[in-house]
Amino acid sequence: MEVKEVDPVSGRKTTGHIWNGIRELDTPIPRGVLLFLIVTHIFAVLWWVLMPTWPLGRTYTKGVLGENQKTTVEASIKEGAGARASWTSRIENLSYDEVRADERLMETVRANGHQLFGDNCAACHGRDGKGRENYPDLTDDDWIWGGGPEAIAQTLTVGVNSRHAESRVGEMPAFGRDEMLDATQVLDVATYVSSLSDPTVSTAGNVEQIDRGREVFQTTCIACHGEDAKGNPELGAPNLTDNRWIYGGSLQRIIATIHGGRQGHMPTWDERLAPVEIKVLALYVDDLGKRAP
């Protein structure tokens, strides 16, 4: 049986519990803690009464203040749109050339385009737009589907190999994997393509191989890349004579591209971004190349 006693040191009663010879004092909860609990409970009840709080099946308690986060956010968005209306209406009504000719308007494009780019494009192309492996650099003048804000806006709107009905469609066939070319032909044409952007690849020891690769290129690749190998923006076929590569320009990477093919993908943004936002983003991306060091 637990015996409650009075602690001779503190003068407080004990609970009667003893652990290893230590008696537990029957100490009351501090008033500060009780006050805190009372205040928080009162606050919770008041909040329940004043604000939308408690779920009731398909609805909820509305609160006597009538506050609603959805309407608050909608009002905030509407207010922001109103604040932007002065410049968004101008961008909507002016041509791309007229917007680019207005430096003050372009400052607005750069500020808002930077935010749009960071929210929607930076994950693939990087915050600076310089791209990375498998994603193109947007700061140079090498465009697969054509440069200029109009072409960029079209790409943003319909995407590349996307679900959009008017999507840009482009694909590099898997010439080796699908046995359109044998291993020797793949190596020959890869060496020839490599020599187009790097003349040092061509040596006295591989002249015949490069000649064979040129023949393979003429019969297999010119339909998309052209006789001069400078590409075709209408087909999304890149220029093979410069030193700018999406999937890598080493001989091994070129062989891998020819053997296994490539099919890039860019989502369509017309369902996520408003037309004026696409226009601002296209102007911003176009401007990136002009401002790049």
Side-chain angles (χ1 to χ4, degrees):
M1 178 178 179
E2 296 176 342
V3 179
K4 296 184 180 180
E5 301 175 350
V6 176
D7 179 59
V9 177
S10 64
R12 293 185 181 278
K13 290 183 178 181
T14 67
T15 63
H17 301 162
I18 301 175
W19 287 275
N20 295 329
I22 301 174
R23 298 181 181 274
E24 180 184 37
L25 296 180
D26 189 10
T27 305
I29 298 174
R31 291 183 179 181
V33 175
L34 285 175
L35 181 62
F36 173 78
L37 293 173
I38 292 170
V39 170
T40 54
H41 279 75
I42 292 174
F43 175 81
V45 172
L46 288 174
W47 191 265
W48 184 8
V49 173
L50 297 175
M51 303 294 289
T53 308
W54 198 256
L56 300 172
R58 295 186 177 180
T59 184
Y60 53 91
T61 56
K62 307 298 182 182
V64 297
L65 295 181
E67 289 289 336
N68 187 310
Q69 288 184 341
K70 180 179 179 182
T71 56
T72 301
V73 171
E74 289 175 347
S76 177
I77 293 174
K78 186 176 181 180
E79 181 181 353
R84 297 194 304 270
S86 59
W87 59 266
T88 55
S89 60
R90 290 189 62 200
I91 291 178
E92 284 181 310
N93 296 321
L94 293 176
S95 68
Y96 286 100
D97 288 338
E98 289 172 326
V99 174
R100 288 190 293 180
D102 188 328
E103 184 54 33
R104 291 189 63 184
L105 201 53
M106 281 302 297
E107 290 179 2
T108 302
V109 166
R110 293 182 187 112
N112 290 273
H114 178 74
Q115 183 65 48
L116 286 169
F117 190 90
D119 291 343
N120 300 282
C121 313
C124 293
H125 296 284
R127 295 289 299 185
D128 57 2
K130 292 186 178 297
R132 53 192 175 88
E133 187 173 343
N134 301 337
Y135 298 97
D137 184 346
L138 303 179
T139 66
D140 56 23
D141 59 354
D142 190 43
W143 296 93
I144 298 176
W145 294 98
E150 294 91 343
I152 296 170
Q154 178 66 9
T155 303
L156 287 168
T157 300
V158 303
V160 178
N161 295 322
S162 72
R163 64 181 182 178
H164 196 285
E166 300 178 12
S167 172
R168 297 188 185 280
V169 179
E171 180 178 6
M172 168 79 178
F175 289 101
R177 186 188 64 205
D178 295 341
E179 299 181 352
M180 290 180 277
L181 298 175
D182 61 33
T184 299
Q185 290 174 311
V186 169
L187 177 59
D188 290 346
V189 73
T191 304
Y192 169 70
V193 169
S194 181
S195 73
L196 292 175
S197 59
D198 183 6
T200 62
V201 170
S202 180
T203 65
N206 64 5
V207 171
E208 293 184 0
Q209 182 185 39
I210 289 179
D211 286 341
R212 292 195 306 268
R214 182 184 296 107
E215 293 178 4
V216 175
F217 188 91
Q218 293 295 321
T219 58
T220 308
C221 310
I222 63 171
C224 293
H225 294 282
E227 292 186 12
D228 57 2
K230 292 187 179 297
N232 185 348
E234 295 296 324
L235 302 175
N239 183 354
L240 303 178
T241 65
D242 56 23
N243 198 29
R244 293 163 180 166
W245 303 88
I246 297 177
Y247 301 103
S250 68
L251 180 60
Q252 291 303 315
R253 296 308 299 270
I254 296 173
I255 291 173
T257 296
I258 297 171
H259 175 81
R262 301 289 184 184
Q263 185 182 51
H265 172 73
M266 176 173 169
T268 171
W269 296 99
D270 65 332
E271 296 179 358
R272 174 165 176 163
L273 301 178
V276 68
E277 291 177 313
I278 289 178
K279 190 171 185 178
V280 168
L281 191 50
L283 285 161
Y284 174 79
V285 171
D286 176 69
D287 189 60
L288 275 178
K290 296 176 173 58
R291 292 186 288 119

